[in-house]
Structures are given as C-alpha cells and as structure tokens.
Amino acid sequence: MKTSRRVVAAVFAVLVLVTGLSAQGNNTTSSALALTPPMGWNSWNKFACNVSEDMIKGMADAMVKSGMKDAGYQYVNIDDCWQVSRDSNGNIVADPQRFPHGMKAVGDYIHSLGLKFGVYSDAGSKTCAGRPGGLGHEYQDALQYAAWGVDYLKYDWCNTTTQDAKASYANIRAALDASGRAIVLSICEWGTAKPWLWGKEVGGNLWRTTGDISDKWEGSTKWPDGTCCSNGMLAIVDQQVGLASYAGPGHWNDPDMLEIGNGGMNDTEYRSHFSLWAILAAPLIAGNDLRNMRPEIHDILTNKEVIAVDQDPMGREGERVAKNGDLEVWAKQMKDGSRAVVLLNRGGSEKEITATWEDLGYPNHLTAAVRDLWQHKELGKVTGKFLATVASHAVVMVTVKP
Ligand code: GLA
C-alpha cells in the first residue's frame, strides 16, 4: 500500500515537472511583457555607431533627472556597434575600448537607477553596420544577454540572405525564453515580410512596419545602394494605415523610433510626430540626446496627457478616420469609452478641420466634453462634431468624452 502511494506521488511529481517545463517553452512569459507600448531611449537616431559606456550611463542619468523616468520611460537601449567580434568559444565580444567594464556593468548601472537595459543584434550573419550578427549563435547569445541582465532585444534583419523571417524570429524568441529571463523582443524586419501577420504568433512584442525613419517631415528616398527607403515622418505614418487591428497588449506595430529633438524638424512638427505616435499606440523610444534637451523638446517628450493616450491599457491602435487632401482626422478608442483625436494639417497654410461624431463612432446627438492635450485645458461641451483651426504642419489633439 505504502509503496503504491509512493509510486503515485512520484508519477504526480513527474507530471507537475513536465507540465511546468512545457509551460516554460511556450510564449506565456513573452506575451506578458510590454502590455502597453514600450517607452525608452535608443542610441541609433542620434549617435549611430558612436556608442560608449560613458554616454549610455549619462543618458540613463538624464532619463531620471529630466523627469522622463517619472513620465514612464523605462528602457535604455544600445543599438548597433557595441559588439566587435566573437571569441574562440563563439561568445560575442563587446568593444573593450568603448565598454571597458563590459556589458553587465552597464546593465547593472541602468538597473541601479530603476531603469531597464536593452541591446541590439541581428538575425543574419552580420548587423547592418557589419558587426557580428546572431545567426547560429542564438541560444548562446540569449544566455549571454540573460547573464548581463538584458531586458529588451532589438533584432535586425540585415545580411539574412535566404533566411525565413518568421522562422528566424521564432528561433530567437525560443532562445530568449530558454534563457530563463523575461526579455522583450523587438522585431526589426522593416515590414518586408508583413510581420504584423505573424509577429504575435512567434512571441514578438513589437515589430517595425517600415524602413528607417529620418528626421524630416515628409518624403521617402532610396538609400545610396538603391534599397528602400529613408522615410520622412509622414511617409511612415501613411504606411500604418490598415494595420491597427494587428496591435494590442503585448504586441505592437512599431513605426520606428522618435526623432524629436534631433534638429531636422521644427517644434510644431515634433509635436505632430509625438501626437501621431501616441494615437498609433506606438512604442515611444526617444532618439535624441537627453543630456541637453531644450525645454520645448523636454515638454513634448514628457507631455503626460499625450503619453496617457499612447499607454491606454486597452491597447487599441488609432486609425485615420477622415482624410480630405492635406487635412486628416485620426482617432483612438480609449478604455473609458472616450476617444483621443488628432486633427492633422499636412499642408502649407492654416486650415479648419472638423471631426464629426460619425468619424469617431458616436451617435450625432451625443454631447461630449473636449479637452486639449497640448494646452492642458477643457474646451467645453459640444454635440455632433468638434472643429478647430490648425496651423500648417500642426495638430490639435483632444480627448472627446461623452
Ligand atoms: C537598421 C535598423 C535601424 C538601426 C540600424 C543599425 O537600419 O532599421 O533602426 O538599428 O540598422 O545599423
């Protein structure tokens, strides 16, 4: 009797163990990450390959001191060029000149400030800047990242020749999960293989929908090698149309990182950039030098009312609900039933723009309170529509609350 009870207990223990292990192997960890769009900073847009331990630590300090951490920014992400080679065991080697104390020390410093640590690699043999990529080293690299305390991996798509995108990203996700550390996976495949169709299934938490953003208002030009494209801010926005249904908590469309503060657009245009990213429930990854921001740039990046639209817990991506030439209305359904609305004037002169309740999915007779998220003030109650005069290249951004 006793023996058979022991056998039952042993069988039960094995079952518990097997169930536990198989649960680890699926995406339960990864889908619980990034329940709202990730917020942070990344080195690429401003510094390209000019990354170092000192600069990254300075940026983490600035994220705290500037109030960005309090506004919700969390990740400090090192993009391309931190890595130089592999050692004889195939381990990835960080640049010893630029990161003299190694990557774990950088991660420890970032964590000591209550922030999170991100790195970059590539699914192919080399990164876009020609540094060693992850191909064939996925599990080894994932263990290394976990040992460094990495919380976020941006995984690029250069030098992938005939690789299948979905399989490659599923592979790195499996490797990250097997490392035992919860790591956000940022798929950087530029939208070529339509990652919105499979990104969630393979455990991606966000996926780039387009080629790289450039610090300019509009336009799209080919790279010198003839590949497509360097995109102005509006060219990126136009490519988000039709993708809203693919986004939700834990899995976001990524229209690329912010250019706010990098000097190629004026402050009006940067306000439009930030408002549109918020309406799109886009990851808010700043790309400027946080150590010396002008007050106007600081105020854009830390506008808590606009950030609250981006971070709404329901996780709906907003959509373009009306377009009349250069005049557009974008709207996002919020958890409390209100709508966040952006009136966008892409044209060269001031214009009046109207958002009708029909555009917003409300019945005409409804009366709603309108609040301006840039002026931080109530604009009163209106019925049936809201209209405003919008300057050239500007937005008016409001919430409409029945
Ligand atoms: C690609 C990515 C960029 C950046 C660079 C780094 O172009 O799309 O965001 O990571 O590579 O080389």
Side-chain angles (χ1 to χ4, degrees), residues 42 44-45 48-49 79-81 120-122 127-131 154-158 188-190 208 210-213 223 256-257:
N42 172 295
W44 184 256
N45 282 354
C49 272
D79 208 278
D80 209 345
C81 302
Y120 160 102
S121 187
D122 187 289
T127 72
C128 294
R131 306 302 175 92
K154 173 176 168 183
Y155 217 50
D156 215 337
W157 192 241
C158 278
C188 181
E189 186 271 351
W190 323 309
R208 284 273 298 278
T210 70
D212 289 6
I213 193 169
W223 293 110
D256 207 357
M257 304 172 292

Side-chain angles (χ1 to χ4, degrees), residues 282-354:
L284 297 179
I285 308 291
N288 59 318
D289 191 342
L290 308 180
R291 298 167 303 185
N292 48 33
M293 285 185 275
R294 285 185 293 115
E296 293 81 359
I297 296 301
H298 169 272
D299 292 353
I300 294 172
L301 287 171
T302 58
N303 182 331
K304 291 189 181 171
E305 294 196 64
V306 175
I307 291 172
V309 170
D310 181 79
Q311 296 287 303
D312 183 70
M314 190 163 69
R316 277 289 180 90
E317 178 172 329
E319 292 179 83
R320 184 157 68 194
V321 295
K323 179 168 175 67
N324 175 13
D326 285 332
L327 312 181
E328 298 181 358
V329 180
W330 290 75
K332 177 184 199 283
Q333 198 179 333
M334 304 283 282
K335 191 174 181 202
D336 66 0
S338 67
R339 303 287 187 268
V341 178
V342 165
L343 309 179
L344 167 68
N345 179 1
R346 305 165 68 126
S349 60
E350 183 178 282
K351 287 275 160 50
E352 191 176 271
I353 302 180
T354 303

Side-chain angles (χ1 to χ4, degrees), residues 66-104:
S66 64
M68 285 184 69
K69 181 187 175 204
D70 287 342
Y73 294 84
Q74 212 181 4
Y75 294 99
V76 178
N77 294 348
I78 312 176
D79 208 278
D80 209 345
C81 302
W82 59 267
Q83 64 283 71
V84 284
S85 58
R86 289 194 180 272
D87 68 16
S88 54
N89 294 320
N91 296 312
I92 191 76
V93 176
D95 186 327
Q97 261 90 50
R98 289 172 174 268
F99 294 92
H101 301 95
M103 298 300 274
K104 182 168 188 305

Side-chain angles (χ1 to χ4, degrees), residues 27-47:
N27 285 327
T28 43
T29 349
S30 50
S31 61
L33 293 168
L35 294 179
T36 60
M39 293 177 65
W41 175 88
N42 172 295
S43 52
W44 184 256
N45 282 354
K46 171 78 184 173
F47 297 93

Side-chain angles (χ1 to χ4, degrees), residues 258-276:
L258 300 167
E259 290 284 12
I260 295 160
N262 282 337
M265 291 184 252
N266 63 38
D267 293 349
T268 299
E269 293 169 335
Y270 283 142
R271 232 168 270 128
S272 300
H273 181 7
F274 200 60
S275 305
L276 287 162

